[in-house]
């Protein structure tokens, strides 16, 4: 079992940036970021494997970067050039333990 706590969401203007953080209660190395907008399915945004390989949804590739700090059991999602369609609740997940964080709201609006 692992507990995940996200932070860093907020309101930003189009073109702005945010960095989301997710702290795990135990040492883990693989993480995923998902998001869910109102009326839409939850979708995978980015992932990092235990080996350090990363993957991104086509819609965020080149704008978002997933990274981790192994000593702090923390994963980050750096989001640049944000667009209104990025508005959603963002969740971190542990693939190994099938555990989810509580979510953090990201709103991109002028």
């Amino acid at each position: 079992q692992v507990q995940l706590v996200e932070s860093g969401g907020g309101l930003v203007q189009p073109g702005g940036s945010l960095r989301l953080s997710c702290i795990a209660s135990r040492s883990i190395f693989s993480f995923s970021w998902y998001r869910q907008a109102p009326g839409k399915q939850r979708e995978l945004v980015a992932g990092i494997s235990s080996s350090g390989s990363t993957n991104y949804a086509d819609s965020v590739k080149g704008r978002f970067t997933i990274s981790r700090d192994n000593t702090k059991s923390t994963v980050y999602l750096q989001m640049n050039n944000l667009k209104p369609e990025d508005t959603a609740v963002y969740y971190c997940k542990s693939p190994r333990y099938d555990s989810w964080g509580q979510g953090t709201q990201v709103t991109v609006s002028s």
Side-chain angles (χ1 to χ4, degrees), residues 27-71:
S27 182
I28 58 175
F29 300 97
S30 62
F31 295 87
S32 299
W33 284 100
Y34 288 74
R35 67 186 181 188
Q36 187 166 24
K40 294 187 176 181
Q41 300 283 332
R42 188 171 298 186
E43 64 175 342
L44 177 66
V45 176
I48 185 166
S49 73
S50 59
S51 67
S53 63
T54 59
N55 62 280
Y56 300 91
D58 287 343
S59 60
V60 307
K61 194 172 298 182
R63 300 188 296 121
F64 291 11
T65 303
I66 187 171
S67 62
R68 68 182 180 215
D69 184 336
N70 292 338
T71 64

Side-chain angles (χ1 to χ4, degrees), residues 9-18 63-64 79-87 106-110:
L11 174 64
V12 297
Q13 294 183 342
S17 297
L18 283 173
R63 300 188 296 121
F64 291 11
M79 305 185 294
N80 297 326
N81 191 23
L82 284 161
K83 304 175 180 180
E85 50 263 44
D86 295 318
T87 296
V106 173
T107 302
V108 185
S109 176
S110 60

